Amino acid sequence: MTLIPGETAIKIWNDSEELECVSVLPEVPNVMTFCFQAPSRAIFDYQPGQFLTLEIPVPGGPLYRTYTISSSPSRPMSITVTVKAQPESIGTRWMFDNLKPGMRIKAIGPTGSFTNANYPAEKYLFISAGSGITPMMSMTTHMYDLGRDCDIVFVNCARRPSEIIFRERLEHMASRVHGIDLKWVVEGADKYEPWTGYQGFFNQLMLGLMAPDYLEREVFCCGPEPFMTAVREALAGLGFDMDHYHQESFSAPIEEVRDIPEDELPEEGATAEIEFSGSGVTQKCAETDTVLAVARQAGLNIPSGCTFGVCGTCKIKKVSGEVHMVHNGGITEDDIAEGYILACCSNPRGHVIVDA
């Protein structure tokens, strides 16, 4: 790189460096935004809508939790995740109670394919519920910051108006450009606060009123699985071309029935052996075991998140041997070509050596 005198090289953050929490911002009840910077002051390079996996140091051993990035790559000096603490959550609750400015935390990523950058279109329809609004916020902020004309119908569903995340910031952006059309849907109004927007549950009738040209739009959907199922079925029932429908989910996807040649499937009763070269451990196992499960049996810790091939946290290098891998988008074809596998969804065949 050639530098002009007085200039310094721009460093891009990668996950070998911990993140420093620099601020914590309450959003709505049980939702907080955590803002991070790189201690080296490296900047962040990612696609809007991608996610990070955080290593959360809870008592008893680290947990790996995947969170969509809520900030925009057009503002690269920091990166934020906006998270909701569910009643049963452990990792997110730890963040609420313990993660403060000045603390450092390990992160893996950014990664993920749920981004409008992969699907350029003239018109978008973003549909979300609850904290599923975070990737839509990132994508919308990115398009707003670019300064070009955009055409986004932005639908978000919440229980009450006071629980709509990012409402003020989105309304500010929408007040500055013509191309961001906000549609809020709530189950009920807040006490003593009149509500004149949509009320009830998102349905086909609302869709037709909100975006009469929905058939012409690239649709992105994020929220609880039942919500996304309802949206998907509503669109399919209206004749929408589902090639233009994309959804984000960190829950186990519905398995698609597809024909796999028998000689590619792990053989029931057949044995295999995995050599973990970085640890000097070799473990016998069945071909039906996953590399991740065998590592855990051997007492080794391979970081993992979703465990069904979506988040990519358990990506490791395969040094030699063959595996049967059925993932759900958590690894790229380039990674596979370079010899990487996802430990959570790879079954060994014969003797396999991995760098772990």
Side-chain angles (χ1 to χ4, degrees):
M1 177 183 294
T2 302
L3 297 177
I4 299 173
E7 287 190 342
T8 56
I10 295 175
K11 181 181 177 183
I12 306 296
W13 178 83
N14 65 61
D15 56 17
S16 64
E17 182 183 15
E18 289 186 320
L19 294 177
E20 179 183 348
C21 176
V22 294
S23 64
V24 180
L25 177 67
E27 296 285 357
V28 298
N30 293 316
V31 178
M32 286 190 180
T33 292
F34 295 86
C35 181
F36 302 96
Q37 284 188 327
S40 67
R41 295 299 179 260
I43 65 172
F44 297 93
D45 183 24
Y46 56 95
Q47 299 289 351
Q50 289 192 304
F51 59 81
L52 279 176
T53 299
L54 302 183
E55 182 182 285
I56 303 174
V58 300
L63 287 178
Y64 295 88
R65 292 291 181 266
T66 299
Y67 300 106
T68 304
I69 300 165
S70 54
S71 54
S72 165
S74 51
R75 305 176 187 188
M77 300 304 293
S78 62
I79 195 166
T80 67
V81 296
T82 300
V83 303
K84 181 173 185 177
Q86 304 291 350
E88 70 280 5
S89 64
I90 299 174
T92 305
R93 179 53 62 186
W94 184 92
M95 292 172 63
F96 274 44
D97 295 340
N98 298 280
L99 188 55
K100 310 295 182 190
M103 294 178 64
R104 295 185 181 186
I105 192 168
K106 182 170 176 51
I108 301 168
T111 189
S113 58
F114 185 75
T115 169
N116 65 300
N118 290 342
Y119 305 96
E122 293 186 2
K123 298 180 179 181
Y124 291 97
L125 172 57
F126 294 160
I127 307 175
S128 62
S131 57
I133 197 172
T134 52
M136 315 306 184
M137 180 66 176
S138 179
M139 291 188 280
T140 301
T141 304
H142 187 245
M143 283 190 270
Y144 173 82
D145 284 349
L146 292 178
R148 295 179 179 273
D149 290 341
C150 59
D151 188 339
I152 305 168
V153 175
F154 191 112
V155 181
N156 179 252
C157 304
R159 288 194 299 176
R160 288 180 286 277
S162 59
E163 296 183 19
I164 299 173
I165 305 167
F166 305 132
R167 181 179 175 185
E168 290 78 11
R169 275 178 274 174
L170 283 161
E171 289 181 345
H172 172 73
M173 286 192 282
S175 72
R176 306 295 296 171
V177 297
H178 294 296
I180 301 175
D181 188 7
L182 302 175
K183 307 292 185 184
W184 309 126
V185 184
V186 299
E187 295 176 24
D190 289 305
K191 202 171 184 180
Y192 308 122
E193 294 287 341
W195 175 256
T196 57
Y198 291 92
Q199 190 165 334
F201 293 97
F202 182 77
N203 54 45
Q204 289 179 330
L205 178 59
M206 288 184 187
L207 174 61
L209 294 171
M210 294 170 173
D213 58 352
Y214 63 87
L215 291 174
E216 303 170 12
R217 293 179 179 271
E218 202 75 19
V219 178
F220 287 76
C221 182
C222 187
E225 195 63 43
F227 173 79
M228 291 193 293
T229 299
V231 171
R232 192 170 59 242
E233 292 178 350
L235 286 166
L238 289 167
F240 185 77
D241 180 354
M242 299 307 285
D243 287 343
H244 297 279
Y245 172 85
H246 318 280
Q247 69 175 40
E248 179 71 302
S249 175
F250 297 120
S251 301
I254 299 171
E255 289 191 13
E256 294 183 4
V257 178
R258 60 188 183 92
D259 294 330
I260 300 175
E262 285 191 7
D263 59 354
E264 291 185 14
L265 291 171
E267 186 177 344
E268 203 70 41
T271 59
E273 185 177 71
I274 304 177
E275 182 178 337
F276 298 92
S277 61
S279 309
V281 173
T282 299
Q283 183 83 2
K284 292 189 179 301
C285 60
E287 280 196 357
T288 50
D289 290 333
T290 65
V291 174
L292 180 63
V294 177
R296 287 175 173 172
Q297 290 167 13
L300 304 178
N301 180 30
I302 295 177
S304 62
C306 68
T307 70
F308 41 80
V310 169
C311 74
T313 306
C314 61
K315 184 175 71 176
I316 57 174
K317 185 73 176 287
K318 177 170 67 68
V319 179
S320 67
E322 297 296 328
V323 300
H324 175 256
M325 179 170 66
V326 179
H327 65 88
N328 288 294
I331 189 169
T332 67
E333 291 301 319
D334 288 343
D335 286 336
I336 295 171
E338 293 176 11
Y340 288 94
I341 61 171
L342 296 183
C344 72
C345 55
S346 294
N347 305 99
R349 305 184 70 180
H351 184 76
V352 177
I353 302 176
V354 296
D355 184 12

Coordinates of all heavy atoms in Angstrom, one line a residue, residues 15 64 108 274-279 281 290-296 300-305 311-321 323 325 330-332 334-348 352-356:
D15 N -11.7 -10.9 13.7 CA -12.1 -11.5 15.0 C -10.9 -12.1 15.8 O -11.2 -12.8 16.8 CB -13.2 -12.5 14.8 CG -12.9 -13.6 13.9 OD1 -11.7 -13.8 13.6 OD2 -13.9 -14.3 13.4
Y64 N -21.9 -19.2 23.4 CA -21.7 -18.5 22.1 C -23.1 -18.2 21.7 O -24.0 -19.1 21.5 CB -21.0 -19.4 21.1 CG -19.6 -19.7 21.5 CD1 -19.3 -20.8 22.3 CD2 -18.5 -18.8 21.1 CE1 -17.9 -21.0 22.7 CE2 -17.2 -19.1 21.5 CZ -16.9 -20.2 22.3 OH -15.6 -20.4 22.7
I108 N -16.9 -13.5 17.0 CA -16.6 -14.2 15.8 C -17.5 -13.7 14.7 O -18.7 -13.6 14.8 CB -16.8 -15.7 16.0 CG1 -16.0 -16.3 17.1 CG2 -16.6 -16.5 14.7 CD1 -16.4 -17.7 17.6
I274 N -11.2 -39.4 14.3 CA -10.9 -38.0 14.1 C -9.6 -37.6 14.9 O -9.5 -37.9 16.1 CB -12.0 -37.1 14.5 CG1 -13.3 -37.4 13.8 CG2 -11.6 -35.6 14.2 CD1 -14.5 -36.6 14.2
E275 N -8.7 -37.1 14.2 CA -7.4 -36.6 14.8 C -7.5 -35.1 14.9 O -7.6 -34.4 13.9 CB -6.2 -37.1 14.0 CG -4.9 -36.7 14.6 CD -3.7 -37.2 13.7 OE1 -3.9 -38.1 12.9 OE2 -2.6 -36.6 13.8
F276 N -7.5 -34.6 16.1 CA -7.5 -33.2 16.4 C -6.0 -32.7 16.5 O -5.4 -32.8 17.6 CB -8.3 -32.8 17.6 CG -9.7 -33.3 17.6 CD1 -10.1 -34.5 18.0 CD2 -10.7 -32.4 17.0 CE1 -11.5 -34.9 17.9 CE2 -12.0 -32.8 16.9 CZ -12.4 -34.1 17.4
S277 N -5.5 -32.2 15.4 CA -4.0 -32.0 15.3 C -3.5 -30.9 16.3 O -2.4 -31.0 16.8 CB -3.6 -31.7 13.9 OG -4.2 -30.5 13.5
G278 N -4.4 -29.9 16.5 CA -4.0 -28.8 17.4 C -3.9 -29.2 18.8 O -3.2 -28.6 19.6
S279 N -4.6 -30.3 19.2 CA -4.7 -30.7 20.6 C -3.9 -32.0 20.8 O -3.8 -32.4 22.0 CB -6.1 -30.9 21.0 OG -6.9 -29.8 20.7
V281 N -5.0 -34.9 20.1 CA -6.0 -35.9 20.6 C -6.6 -36.7 19.4 O -6.9 -36.1 18.3 CB -7.1 -35.3 21.3 CG1 -8.2 -36.3 21.7 CG2 -6.6 -34.6 22.6
T290 N -21.1 -36.2 14.7 CA -20.6 -35.0 14.1 C -19.2 -34.7 14.7 O -18.9 -35.2 15.8 CB -21.5 -33.8 14.4 OG1 -21.5 -33.5 15.8 CG2 -22.9 -34.0 13.9
V291 N -18.4 -34.0 14.0 CA -17.1 -33.6 14.5 C -17.2 -32.8 15.8 O -16.4 -33.1 16.7 CB -16.3 -32.8 13.4 CG1 -15.0 -32.3 14.0 CG2 -16.2 -33.6 12.1
L292 N -18.2 -32.0 15.9 CA -18.4 -31.2 17.1 C -18.7 -32.1 18.3 O -18.1 -32.0 19.4 CB -19.5 -30.2 17.0 CG -19.8 -29.3 18.2 CD1 -18.6 -28.5 18.5 CD2 -21.0 -28.5 17.9
A293 N -19.6 -33.1 18.1 CA -19.9 -34.0 19.2 C -18.7 -34.9 19.6 O -18.5 -35.1 20.9 CB -21.1 -35.0 18.8
V294 N -17.9 -35.3 18.7 CA -16.7 -36.1 19.0 C -15.7 -35.2 19.8 O -15.1 -35.7 20.7 CB -16.1 -36.7 17.7 CG1 -14.8 -37.4 18.1 CG2 -17.1 -37.6 17.0
A295 N -15.6 -34.0 19.4 CA -14.7 -33.1 20.1 C -15.1 -32.9 21.6 O -14.3 -32.9 22.5 CB -14.6 -31.7 19.4
R296 N -16.4 -32.8 21.7 CA -16.9 -32.6 23.1 C -16.7 -33.9 23.9 O -16.3 -33.8 25.1 CB -18.4 -32.2 23.1 CG -18.6 -30.8 22.6 CD -20.1 -30.5 22.5 NE -20.3 -29.1 22.2 CZ -21.5 -28.6 21.8 NH1 -22.6 -29.4 21.7 NH2 -21.6 -27.3 21.6
L300 N -12.6 -31.5 24.3 CA -12.1 -30.4 23.6 C -13.2 -29.3 23.4 O -14.4 -29.7 23.2 CB -11.6 -30.8 22.2 CG -10.5 -31.9 22.2 CD1 -10.1 -32.2 20.8 CD2 -9.3 -31.4 23.1
N301 N -12.9 -28.1 23.3 CA -13.8 -27.0 23.2 C -13.7 -26.3 21.8 O -12.8 -25.5 21.6 CB -13.7 -26.0 24.3 CG -14.7 -24.8 24.2 OD1 -15.8 -25.0 23.7 ND2 -14.3 -23.6 24.6
I302 N -14.6 -26.7 20.9 CA -14.7 -26.0 19.6 C -15.8 -25.0 19.8 O -17.0 -25.4 20.1 CB -15.0 -26.9 18.5 CG1 -13.8 -27.9 18.3 CG2 -15.2 -26.1 17.2 CD1 -14.0 -28.9 17.2
P303 N -15.6 -23.7 19.7 CA -16.7 -22.7 19.8 C -17.8 -23.0 18.8 O -17.6 -23.4 17.7 CB -16.0 -21.4 19.4 CG -14.5 -21.6 19.7 CD -14.3 -23.0 19.4
S304 N -19.0 -23.0 19.3 CA -20.2 -23.3 18.5 C -21.4 -22.4 18.9 O -21.4 -22.0 20.1 CB -20.6 -24.8 18.6 OG -20.9 -25.1 20.0
G305 N -22.3 -22.2 18.0 CA -23.4 -21.4 18.3 C -24.7 -22.1 18.1 O -25.2 -22.8 18.9
C311 N -24.9 -20.4 11.7 CA -24.1 -19.2 12.2 C -22.7 -19.3 11.8 O -22.0 -18.3 11.7 CB -24.3 -19.1 13.7 SG -23.3 -20.3 14.7
G312 N -22.1 -20.5 11.6 CA -20.7 -20.6 11.1 C -19.7 -20.5 12.2 O -18.5 -20.5 12.0
T313 N -20.1 -20.4 13.5 CA -19.2 -20.3 14.6 C -18.2 -21.4 14.7 O -17.0 -21.2 15.1 CB -20.0 -20.1 15.9 OG1 -20.9 -19.1 15.8 CG2 -19.1 -19.8 17.1
C314 N -18.6 -22.6 14.4 CA -17.8 -23.8 14.6 C -16.9 -24.1 13.3 O -16.5 -25.3 13.2 CB -18.7 -25.0 14.9 SG -19.9 -25.4 13.7
K315 N -16.7 -23.2 12.5 CA -15.9 -23.4 11.3 C -14.4 -23.7 11.7 O -13.8 -23.0 12.4 CB -15.9 -22.2 10.4 CG -15.2 -22.4 9.1 CD -15.3 -21.2 8.2 CE -14.5 -20.0 8.7 NZ -14.6 -18.8 7.8
I316 N -13.9 -24.9 11.2 CA -12.5 -25.3 11.4 C -11.9 -25.8 10.1 O -12.6 -26.1 9.2 CB -12.5 -26.4 12.5 CG1 -13.3 -27.6 12.1 CG2 -12.9 -25.9 13.9 CD1 -13.2 -28.8 13.0
K317 N -10.6 -25.9 10.1 CA -9.9 -26.3 8.9 C -9.8 -27.9 9.0 O -9.3 -28.4 9.9 CB -8.5 -25.7 8.9 CG -7.7 -26.0 7.6 CD -8.3 -25.2 6.5 CE -7.5 -25.4 5.2 NZ -6.2 -24.6 5.3
K318 N -10.2 -28.5 7.9 CA -9.9 -29.9 7.7 C -8.6 -30.1 7.0 O -8.4 -29.6 5.9 CB -11.1 -30.5 6.9 CG -10.9 -32.0 6.6 CD -12.1 -32.6 6.0 CE -12.4 -32.1 4.6 NZ -11.4 -32.5 3.5
V319 N -7.7 -30.8 7.7 CA -6.4 -31.0 7.1 C -6.4 -32.1 6.1 O -5.7 -32.0 5.0 CB -5.4 -31.3 8.3 CG1 -4.0 -31.5 7.7 CG2 -5.4 -30.2 9.3
S320 N -7.0 -33.2 6.4 CA -7.1 -34.3 5.5 C -8.3 -35.2 5.8 O -8.9 -35.1 6.9 CB -5.8 -35.2 5.5 OG -5.7 -35.8 6.7
G321 N -8.7 -36.1 4.9 CA -9.8 -37.0 5.1 C -11.1 -36.4 4.5 O -11.1 -35.3 3.9
V323 N -15.4 -35.7 4.9 CA -16.6 -35.6 5.8 C -17.8 -35.5 4.9 O -17.7 -35.1 3.8 CB -16.5 -34.4 6.7 CG1 -15.2 -34.5 7.6 CG2 -16.5 -33.1 5.9
M325 N -21.0 -33.2 4.9 CA -21.4 -32.0 5.5 C -22.7 -31.5 4.9 O -22.8 -31.3 3.6 CB -20.4 -30.9 5.4 CG -20.8 -29.6 6.0 SD -19.4 -28.4 6.2 CE -19.1 -28.0 4.4
G330 N -24.1 -21.5 6.6 CA -23.1 -20.9 7.5 C -21.7 -21.0 7.1 O -20.8 -20.6 7.8
I331 N -21.5 -21.4 5.8 CA -20.1 -21.5 5.3 C -20.2 -21.2 3.8 O -21.2 -21.6 3.2 CB -19.5 -22.9 5.6 CG1 -18.0 -22.9 5.2 CG2 -20.2 -24.0 4.9 CD1 -17.3 -24.1 5.7
T332 N -19.2 -20.5 3.3 CA -19.2 -20.2 1.9 C -18.5 -21.3 1.0 O -17.8 -22.1 1.5 CB -18.5 -18.8 1.6 OG1 -17.1 -19.0 1.9 CG2 -19.1 -17.7 2.5
D334 N -16.3 -20.7 -1.0 CA -14.8 -20.4 -1.0 C -14.2 -21.0 0.2 O -13.1 -21.6 0.1 CB -14.6 -18.8 -1.0 CG -14.9 -18.2 -2.3 OD1 -15.0 -18.9 -3.3 OD2 -15.1 -17.0 -2.3
D335 N -14.9 -20.9 1.4 CA -14.3 -21.6 2.6 C -14.2 -23.1 2.4 O -13.2 -23.7 2.8 CB -15.2 -21.3 3.8 CG -15.1 -19.9 4.3 OD1 -14.1 -19.2 4.1 OD2 -16.1 -19.4 4.9
I336 N -15.2 -23.7 1.8 CA -15.2 -25.1 1.6 C -14.0 -25.5 0.6 O -13.3 -26.4 0.8 CB -16.5 -25.6 1.0 CG1 -17.7 -25.4 2.0 CG2 -16.5 -27.1 0.6 CD1 -19.1 -25.6 1.5
A337 N -13.9 -24.7 -0.4 CA -12.8 -24.9 -1.4 C -11.4 -24.8 -0.7 O -10.5 -25.5 -1.1 CB -12.9 -23.9 -2.5
E338 N -11.3 -24.0 0.4 CA -10.1 -23.9 1.1 C -9.9 -24.9 2.2 O -8.9 -24.9 2.9 CB -10.0 -22.5 1.7 CG -9.9 -21.4 0.7 CD -9.9 -20.0 1.3 OE1 -9.8 -19.9 2.6 OE2 -10.0 -19.0 0.6
G339 N -10.9 -25.8 2.3 CA -10.7 -26.9 3.2 C -11.4 -26.7 4.6 O -11.3 -27.6 5.5
Y340 N -12.3 -25.7 4.7 CA -13.0 -25.5 6.0 C -14.3 -26.3 6.0 O -14.9 -26.6 5.0 CB -13.3 -24.0 6.2 CG -12.0 -23.2 6.5 CD1 -11.4 -22.5 5.5 CD2 -11.6 -23.1 7.8 CE1 -10.2 -21.8 5.8 CE2 -10.4 -22.4 8.1 CZ -9.8 -21.7 7.1 OH -8.6 -21.0 7.4
I341 N -14.6 -26.7 7.2 CA -15.9 -27.4 7.4 C -16.6 -26.8 8.7 O -16.0 -26.1 9.4 CB -15.7 -28.9 7.7 CG1 -14.8 -29.1 9.0 CG2 -15.0 -29.6 6.5 CD1 -14.8 -30.6 9.4
L342 N -17.9 -27.1 8.8 CA -18.6 -26.7 10.0 C -18.7 -28.0 10.9 O -19.2 -29.0 10.5 CB -20.0 -26.2 9.7 CG -20.1 -24.9 8.9 CD1 -21.5 -24.4 8.7 CD2 -19.2 -23.8 9.6
A343 N -18.1 -27.9 12.1 CA -18.0 -29.1 12.9 C -19.3 -29.6 13.3 O -19.5 -30.8 13.6 CB -17.1 -28.8 14.1
C344 N -20.3 -28.7 13.5 CA -21.6 -29.1 14.0 C -22.4 -30.0 13.0 O -23.3 -30.7 13.4 CB -22.4 -27.9 14.4 SG -23.1 -26.9 13.0
C345 N -22.1 -29.9 11.7 CA -22.9 -30.6 10.8 C -22.0 -31.4 9.8 O -22.4 -31.7 8.6 CB -23.8 -29.7 10.0 SG -23.0 -28.3 9.2
S346 N -20.9 -31.8 10.3 CA -20.0 -32.7 9.4 C -19.8 -34.0 10.1 O -19.4 -34.1 11.3 CB -18.6 -32.0 9.3 OG -18.7 -30.8 8.5
N347 N -20.0 -35.1 9.3 CA -19.8 -36.4 9.8 C -18.5 -37.0 9.2 O -18.4 -36.9 8.0 CB -21.0 -37.3 9.4 CG -22.3 -36.7 9.9 OD1 -23.1 -36.1 9.1 ND2 -22.6 -36.9 11.2
P348 N -17.6 -37.6 10.0 CA -16.4 -38.1 9.5 C -16.6 -39.4 8.7 O -17.5 -40.2 9.0 CB -15.6 -38.3 10.7 CG -16.6 -38.7 11.8 CD -17.8 -37.8 11.4
V352 N -10.0 -38.8 9.7 CA -10.1 -37.4 9.3 C -9.1 -36.6 10.3 O -9.1 -36.9 11.5 CB -11.5 -36.9 9.5 CG1 -11.6 -35.4 9.2 CG2 -12.4 -37.6 8.5
I353 N -8.4 -35.7 9.8 CA -7.6 -34.8 10.6 C -8.1 -33.4 10.5 O -8.3 -32.9 9.4 CB -6.1 -34.8 10.2 CG1 -5.6 -36.3 10.2 CG2 -5.2 -33.9 11.0 CD1 -4.1 -36.4 9.7
V354 N -8.4 -32.8 11.6 CA -8.8 -31.4 11.7 C -7.9 -30.6 12.5 O -7.3 -31.1 13.5 CB -10.3 -31.3 12.2 CG1 -11.2 -32.0 11.2 CG2 -10.4 -31.8 13.6
D355 N -7.8 -29.3 12.2 CA -7.0 -28.4 13.0 C -7.8 -27.8 14.1 O -8.4 -26.7 14.0 CB -6.4 -27.3 12.1 CG -5.5 -26.3 12.8 OD1 -5.0 -26.7 13.9 OD2 -5.1 -25.3 12.3
A356 N -7.8 -28.5 15.2 CA -8.5 -28.0 16.4 C -7.9 -28.6 17.7 O -7.2 -29.6 17.6 CB -10.0 -28.5 16.3

